[in-house]
Amino acid sequence: MAQLTGKGSLIAGVVAAIGASVCCVGPLVLLALGIGGTWIGNLTAMEPYRPIFIGLTLLFLGLAFRKLYLVPQVCTPGTPCADPRTLQRQRLTFWIVAVLLLGLLAVPWLAPLFY
């Protein structure tokens, strides 16, 4: 089994967060785009699986954090990973994605404040 890289963990976290929020954010986005219909109510069928997707999101964010902060990187001199700016960009990307994902996961609890 291939090791999950920091980038792979972030991508998996994004996919899991989208799965967790499809029941709540999906209908709002579709309605905002002017797409409507009675079938939108069927998107709430994913609600029972939301805790599983939330757990997966947090797991993959934890794996990405571990890869970027806790596991020492072994790089050959002259490769892109040996440049300290690469690690800084990866960490910045991680925090931007983490904040967006946690905001996306919080939408169902925050949405009632807006309507």
Side-chain angles (χ1 to χ4, degrees):
M1 188 169 144
Q3 280 190 333
L4 198 57
T5 63
K7 183 179 177 182
S9 296
L10 284 178
I11 292 170
V14 168
V15 171
I18 290 170
S21 63
V22 75
C23 66
C24 309
V25 177
L28 290 175
V29 170
L30 291 174
L31 289 173
L33 293 173
I35 301 170
T38 57
W39 62 272
I40 289 182
N42 292 332
L43 293 176
T44 59
M46 294 291 290
E47 181 68 27
Y49 304 109
R50 191 167 190 279
I52 295 169
F53 285 117
I54 289 173
L56 288 173
T57 301
L58 296 176
L59 172 75
F60 289 125
L61 283 176
L63 289 173
F65 180 86
R66 180 181 170 273
K67 177 77 174 164
L68 291 172
Y69 286 96
L70 302 178
V71 176
Q73 287 190 346
V74 179
C75 295
T76 307
T79 59
C81 72
D83 186 10
R85 292 180 294 171
T86 302
L87 183 61
Q88 290 173 345
R89 281 185 293 230
Q90 289 175 341
R91 288 179 176 176
L92 178 65
T93 302
F94 167 78
W95 286 111
I96 290 171
V97 169
V99 167
L100 291 174
L101 289 180
L102 293 176
L104 189 62
L105 291 177
V107 166
W109 295 292
L110 298 176
L113 299 174
F114 297 104
Y115 62 91

